[in-house]
Amino acid sequence: MTKEIIINATNEETRIAILEDSKLVELFVERPEYERMVGDIYKGRVSRVLPGMQAAFIDIGHEQNAFLHFADFDTSYLDYFVDYEDEEHIDKDHYNSERNFNVYRDLKKDQDILVQIIKEPIGSKGCRVTSGIALPGRFLVLIPGKRHIGISRKIQNPKERKRLRDIARQIIPPHFGLIIRTVAEGKPDKVIKRDLNNLLNTWRKIERKIKRQKAPVLLYKDMAMASSIIRDLFTADVDRVVVDSRKLMRELVSYIKDVAPQLKDKISYYKGMLPIFDKFNIEKEIEKMGNSKVWLKNGAYIVVEPTEALVSIDVNSGKFIGKKDHETNSLRINLEAAREIARQTRLRDLGGIIVIDFIDMVEEENKKKIYNELKREFNKDRSITKIQDMSRFGLIEMTRQRVRPPVLLSLKDSCPTCHGTGLVPTIHAVVGDIERWIQRYRSTHGDRRITIHVRPDVYSYMKKGTYNPLLKLMWKYWIKIRLIPDENLPIGSFAVYDKDDKKRIDEGLK
């Protein structure tokens, strides 16, 4: 499998595309007004503690308070906010022991707290935070206040795991934990030690800010999206990185020279006249992301429908014409659908509960094949996924970790007319609304002459025929109506003015 990272930078936004076998599988978008927030560390203040929700709301200086679930609470932050020398009334042993600290009892309103963003705000919900701090580097993740050594599960060689664990034991400072990242595999101890020193220097700067600055305040800003993608995803299995900005390329090369100099030759500058995303056929895929229907190569299609509660995905045979029996045809469609579902889920960054309705099959062996194919495809995904076996109704239920809002929200706004439903009133519904408005108006006003502005299609319908809907309304309610076509009106709406067409009179009666 070939893997490429394509980066397009403009004055308005930076877009990073991940390609696998020339297919777009992930897309990241960053704008000045919408910067990546995951990983940022704040000195916050407890705004509310809600034991019934097992959560607290933390003021970190944003418009919406951050959400801290008690499951994400860690007592290691207390050492930075409790001065045992000055506060004689505080029981040091009580605060110094995680076993004695009771979050329900001891977490108080207006208390300072150190938190890190783990999920970006989505819709009306604020960001989610944890008080367990982790600083990611190229090869290591530094965890202040913990005594723990972890090694990425993707490093499977037992000898290499033992070597890395021995290195970690030799270099780990007191009161810190370390996680060895996948890219550390095969790296010498000097390189890993240098990465640790960089992380420790960053942490010392954060410590100084904790003591000097008042909450709420940002203490540490994680890398910009392009740099963080290079840090986290630019590994030896990536064939190349192509960038269309010289400035951004210099920044990436400068960073990669320090942490993985052997990879710097894989970064290249795009010199073509055609926009870079057009050159790699990415722009067309981005345009299709807004479509709920996704066609498969064999003529079948899937329908992706995100809702408030879950994401439903339906598999349909479409134009597929099989030459074998129904069971074999269904298996073939479902297998290709499983591969495309995994790609679309990663590409659209769908999260939460996902329910997939595959075409019905009878044989248990075939159902297992679909489940295994889905598992295999989602093994390429960095987000945590949990997949259940296919139910007797042909459904597969799964969950996918949600860290940031779906990428589609950064590319498109909801339609101001249908408000995201995809539905607008029919002409008949609009005419019905006009009649009900006239009823309300005639019950409270004596004026029998009005002017109504409508969309051109509604105008044509109401004026059609000898005994048309407009005449019927005028005879029924004994009112003179002057109808005017107005293409500037939103679909499904109308506007009513006085007889001289000067003063609008419908706004208080709709």
Side-chain angles (χ1 to χ4, degrees), residues 264-283:
K264 68 179 178 64
D265 292 335
K266 290 187 176 183
I267 303 177
S268 61
Y269 173 68
Y270 176 73
K271 300 177 182 178
M273 294 296 292
L274 195 67
I276 188 170
F277 271 26
D278 290 352
K279 172 68 176 178
F280 289 90
N281 297 316
I282 298 170
E283 209 68 65

Side-chain angles (χ1 to χ4, degrees), residues 23-41:
K23 276 189 173 184
L24 179 64
V25 294
E26 289 187 66
L27 179 69
F28 304 87
V29 180
E30 185 172 53
R31 296 191 177 99
E33 75 278 6
Y34 180 73
E35 293 184 337
R36 182 177 184 268
M37 296 168 62
V38 172
D40 293 354
I41 299 173

Side-chain angles (χ1 to χ4, degrees), residues 33 87 115 126 152 246 253 271 289 362 368 399 408 477:
E33 75 278 6
E87 304 291 340
V115 293
S152 169
R246 290 188 184 276
V253 170
K271 300 177 182 178
M289 282 173 59
V362 177
K368 195 68 178 176
T399 61
L408 202 59
Y477 296 102

Side-chain angles (χ1 to χ4, degrees), residues 110-250:
D110 294 328
Q111 183 176 331
D112 286 352
I113 184 171
L114 194 65
V115 293
Q116 185 171 31
I117 295 178
I118 54 176
K119 287 186 180 179
E120 295 191 2
I122 299 175
S124 60
K125 298 178 181 177
C127 55
R128 183 163 177 170
V129 296
T130 176
S131 64
I133 307 301
L135 283 178
R138 172 71 176 174
F139 306 110
L140 303 171
V141 177
L142 183 69
I143 308 174
K146 292 291 183 183
R147 297 176 184 175
H148 168 76
I149 294 176
I151 299 178
S152 169
R153 293 179 182 177
K154 293 183 180 179
I155 301 176
Q156 298 179 347
N157 186 311
K159 290 184 179 179
E160 179 62 11
R161 291 179 67 87
K162 183 179 183 304
R163 184 187 76 88
L164 292 171
R165 189 176 295 276
D166 290 341
I167 292 173
R169 284 174 178 159
Q170 293 170 15
I171 66 175
I172 188 170
H175 310 299
F176 283 93
L178 285 180
I179 296 175
I180 311 292
R181 306 187 72 174
T182 308
V183 288
E185 187 172 11
K187 297 296 183 294
D189 54 355
K190 289 182 180 179
V191 172
I192 297 174
K193 174 69 173 175
R194 186 167 64 242
D195 194 38
L196 174 62
N197 289 335
N198 291 335
L199 291 173
L200 287 172
N201 289 335
T202 301
W203 179 246
R204 299 306 177 205
K205 293 176 184 176
I206 294 173
E207 281 186 313
R208 288 193 290 271
K209 289 181 180 180
I210 292 173
K211 296 173 182 177
R212 294 174 185 171
Q213 300 189 24
K214 293 183 179 181
V217 63
L218 174 66
L219 300 175
Y220 167 78
K221 180 76 181 169
D222 198 12
M223 289 180 171
M225 184 173 287
S227 299
S228 67
I229 294 296
I230 294 299
R231 179 191 67 195
D232 298 336
L233 296 182
F234 189 19
T235 52
D237 63 334
V238 173
D239 294 274
R240 61 173 171 166
V241 176
V242 187
V243 193
D244 66 355
S245 163
R246 290 188 184 276
K247 179 176 178 289
L248 184 56
M249 180 183 167
R250 285 194 295 268

